Amino acid sequence: MSAALGMVDVLEVANRYGADCDGRQINHSILQADDLPTAPFFDAIVLPPNLTGNRGASDDKLHSWIKEQHAGGAIACSACAGAFWLGHAGLLDGRPVTTHWALEEEFSAAFQHANLLSEHILIDDNDIVTAGGVMAWVDLGLHLVNRWLGPAIVSQVCRHMLIDPHGREQRNYRSFRPKFDHADQPIIDLQRWMESNVQADLSVAELARKLSLSERTLHRRFARATGLAIGTYVQELRVEKARGLLERTTMPISEICWAVGYEDPSAFSRLFKSVSGVTASDYRRRFTVL
C-alpha cells in the first residue's frame, strides 16, 4: 500500500503544479482486484509491488481485466513483483521488462519468453512500462508524470518531494547471491572455501587441482551446479566482497583491490564499475554505513 498511496501523493503534487501551469491534471484511483470496473478503458494501469510472496498465478479475473485494458489502449505498468501479473496476463512475451533483481530467477522461470533486463530501474517499451524494486514506484510515478505533464512538472515535483530523479540503476543495489542449494557437495565445499579465501589464487587450474579434477570436468560441474562459469562467479564474488569493504571500512580502494584478490587497481576499478554501474569511490559515497 505504500506504493499505491505514495504514487497518489506524487500525482497529487504534480496536479498542483499542473494546475498552476496550464491546468492539465492526471485523474487517478486505487482499484481493488475484486471490484474492477468493466468500463471505461484507462490511459494506464499500474500493478504495484507486494510483500506477501503472492505472484498472482491464479488471479484469472484480474489477468483478463489487465489484458482487456491493454487491448483497449491502456499503458500496462508494474513495479517490482507487479510484473508477474503482467506476465500472467500474457503481455510480456518478446518484450523487454524489469523487476526486482532478487526475483530474476523466479521471473525468468515463469516467463521464459520475456526479455528480462533486471539491471534497469525502469524500462519504457511504449505500451508496457516496468520498474524494478519495491521503491521503484517512485521512478514509475515520475515517468508517468513526465509522459502526461512534461519535464518541467517533473522537476517541480522532485524539488517539492526531495526526489533525485536520475542516475540510478538496479545493478547499483544488487547483491551476488550464489546458489548453494544444488546436490554437488564437492562444489558446495569449494564455494564455501572461495567465500573465505577470496584473495587466494582462484584460477581454474588451481581450483581444479584443489578438487583433484581436470579443468574441463570442473568447468562442467561448476556451471551445472551454480549456473555460472567459474570466471564469472569469481568476478561476482570478488566484487561483492569489495562492496562490503567499501560499505563497512575506511580501507583505501587500492588495499581493497588487493584484499579481494586483484593486483592491478586500474583493472579492478574497471571491473567494479562494469558490474556495479558506478565507480568504487562513488559506491562508497552512496552506500557507506559508517
Side-chain angles (χ1 to χ4, degrees):
M1 286 305 298
S2 65
L5 297 175
M7 185 168 289
V8 166
D9 287 343
V10 167
L11 298 179
E12 282 297 315
V13 172
N15 281 343
R16 293 180 198 171
Y17 288 108
D20 293 338
C21 181
D22 56 15
R24 286 181 295 164
Q25 299 283 279
I26 300 173
N27 297 321
H28 53 81
S29 59
I30 297 176
L31 305 177
Q32 301 297 323
D34 56 358
D35 188 27
L36 296 170
T38 56
F41 290 115
F42 294 94
D43 291 320
I45 57 173
V46 178
L47 282 301
N50 79 82
L51 302 178
T52 67
N54 182 18
R55 301 293 181 252
S58 61
D59 293 342
D60 295 336
K61 180 181 177 182
L62 179 54
H63 302 158
S64 296
W65 184 83
I66 293 169
K67 193 170 184 177
E68 290 167 2
Q69 286 289 325
H70 182 252
I75 305 166
C77 308
S78 69
C80 197
F84 281 81
W85 277 260
L86 298 186
H88 289 306
L91 301 186
L92 301 183
D93 285 1
R95 305 299 292 269
V97 59
T98 190
T99 188
H100 193 286
W101 59 266
L103 301 176
E104 182 174 2
E105 185 173 345
E106 183 183 357
F107 187 91
S108 295
F111 309 110
Q112 298 180 15
H113 298 294
N115 181 19
L116 180 60
L117 304 168
S118 59
E119 67 272 21
H120 294 287
I121 287 283
L122 185 140
I123 293 179
D124 177 4
D125 196 37
N126 193 29
D127 59 326
I128 303 285
V129 180
T130 52
V134 175
M135 294 302 295
W137 66 263
V138 177
D139 304 82
L140 178 58
L142 294 176
H143 183 80
L144 295 176
V145 170
N146 182 66
R147 193 159 187 156
W148 290 314
L149 301 185
I153 301 298
V154 170
S155 179
Q156 290 174 301
V157 171
C158 289
R159 290 200 299 271
H160 185 103
M161 302 186 77
L162 305 185
I163 298 171
D164 183 359
H166 299 298
R168 296 200 302 153
E169 299 179 74
Q170 278 211 80
R171 60 179 174 163
N172 302 159
Y173 305 92
R174 72 183 303 154
S175 297
F176 176 53
R177 304 196 305 178
K179 292 173 59 177
F180 290 96
D181 58 351
H182 52 83
D184 194 332
Q185 190 59 51
I187 297 299
I188 292 174
D189 293 341
L190 181 64
Q191 290 176 265
R192 296 297 188 194
W193 181 85
M194 293 165 71
E195 287 280 345
S196 300
N197 296 274
V198 69
Q199 77 289 345
D201 180 359
L202 301 184
S203 65
V204 176
E206 181 60 24
L207 295 176
R209 186 199 63 77
K210 188 172 182 62
L211 287 191
S212 300
L213 297 173
S214 70
E215 293 183 25
R216 182 176 180 180
T217 299
L218 178 60
H219 269 299
R220 185 178 67 253
R221 284 180 58 174
F222 196 94
R224 184 173 62 229
T226 68
L228 293 172
I230 294 174
T232 301
Y233 188 102
V234 169
Q235 287 187 348
E236 292 279 1
L237 176 62
R238 284 174 163 166
V239 168
E240 186 64 20
K241 296 293 186 180
R243 287 180 194 257
L245 292 172
L246 289 166
E247 293 168 9
R248 300 187 301 271
T249 77
T250 59
M251 288 175 62
I253 292 174
S254 59
E255 291 185 18
I256 291 176
C257 161
W258 301 323
V260 299
Y262 288 98
E263 297 180 356
D264 183 349
S266 62
F268 166 75
S269 296
R270 290 193 297 271
L271 171 65
F272 188 92
K273 186 174 183 179
S274 71
V275 173
S276 302
V278 291
T279 66
S281 57
D282 284 342
Y283 185 90
R284 168 170 275 166
R285 177 178 55 81
R286 292 174 64 176
F287 298 106
T288 184
V289 295
L290 295 176

